[in-house]
Amino acid sequence: TLLEKLSCRNDLDGDTLEAVKSMVHHRLSKEGETEGASLSGRGMDYLREDPPVDVAERLMAADRLDQNVIGKALHANDYSFVLAALTVRTGIDLGVIKKIFVSQSPKGVIALVWKAGLPAKIAVLIQQRMAAIAPADILDVKNGGGYPLNDDEMEWQLSYFDSRVKK
C-alpha cells in the first residue's frame, strides 16, 4: 500500500522511488530474522542494518530531506532511514552516531539532532522512540521550543562521542 501511494506522487524521481522500493523489499525479506538480544531487547535492531544513506543523499541533493520527511519516517518507525538522514544532514561518521544511540545518551541525541538542523521537538521524539531513553531521563524542549543545551554543550557532546569512537 505504501509503495502504491509513493508511486502516485510526482515529487519523487524514478531513481529515488526505485531506491525506496528496493529498501522496503529488503526490509520485508529480513523481517523474520532474529539477531542478538542486546540491541533487540532495547528495540535497536535498526543499528545492525546498513542505513539507506544513498536514498537520504538523493533527497538531500533534491532539497527534500527536511523535517517533514524525517518526521514521517520517525512516525512510521523507519529508524534506519532516520539514522541515514541524520548521517547525511550532519556529516558525522555513522559509527559516532551509532555510539550515541547505543549509549542512550539524552544529551548526545539532542546534540545530534541540533547538528542536523532539526527542531528540538524532533529531538524529543528521537530520544523516546529510537534511543529508548527512559521517560524520566528525556531532555525536553525549553519554553518556546528551544534546545535544552547551549551550542557549546552540544558541540562538546559531539566531540566526546567522536573521541570515544576513535579510541
Side-chain angles (χ1 to χ4, degrees):
T1 306
L2 172 64
L3 292 176
E4 288 174 15
K5 288 183 181 184
L6 287 175
S7 296
C8 294
R9 291 177 54 164
N10 53 358
D11 62 338
L12 293 176
D13 62 83
D15 289 340
T16 302
L17 186 58
E18 283 304 312
V20 171
K21 284 181 181 180
S22 173
M23 183 55 61
V24 168
H25 290 293
H26 172 74
R27 294 235 178 97
L28 289 174
S29 69
K30 293 187 78 173
E31 191 173 273
E33 296 177 15
T34 57
E35 296 184 16
S38 176
L39 294 176
S40 297
R42 294 187 282 166
M44 294 183 165
D45 289 332
Y46 66 93
L47 293 175
R48 288 207 158 90
E49 303 170 4
D50 288 330
V53 174
D54 55 334
V55 174
E57 286 172 340
R58 277 194 225 116
L59 288 170
M60 186 73 158
D63 200 30
R64 292 200 171 116
L65 190 61
D66 59 14
Q67 69 183 35
N68 293 325
V69 169
I70 295 168
K72 286 177 184 176
L74 188 59
H75 287 294
N77 299 327
D78 190 355
Y79 302 148
S80 186
F81 176 79
V82 176
L83 197 67
L86 291 171
T87 302
V88 170
R89 286 187 61 103
T90 62
I92 295 174
D93 181 76
L94 180 59
V96 174
I97 293 174
K98 285 183 175 184
K99 182 73 170 176
I100 290 170
F101 282 98
V102 168
S103 299
Q104 293 181 292
S105 167
K107 290 181 179 180
V109 171
I110 288 282
L112 181 63
V113 177
W114 165 80
K115 183 75 171 181
L118 298 169
K121 65 182 179 181
I122 289 181
V124 173
L125 290 173
I126 290 175
Q127 288 176 81
Q128 293 168 335
R129 293 171 174 240
M130 287 180 67
I133 295 171
D137 296 333
I138 289 174
L139 294 177
D140 209 347
V141 297
K142 285 183 175 179
N143 288 337
Y147 279 92
L149 304 174
N150 66 42
D151 292 0
D152 289 338
E153 290 172 304
M154 290 190 276
E155 287 290 351
W156 186 90
Q157 287 293 321
L158 296 173
S159 295
Y160 169 77
F161 282 102
D162 185 58
S163 69
R164 300 288 296 162
V165 170
K166 292 183 178 177
K167 276 188 172 183

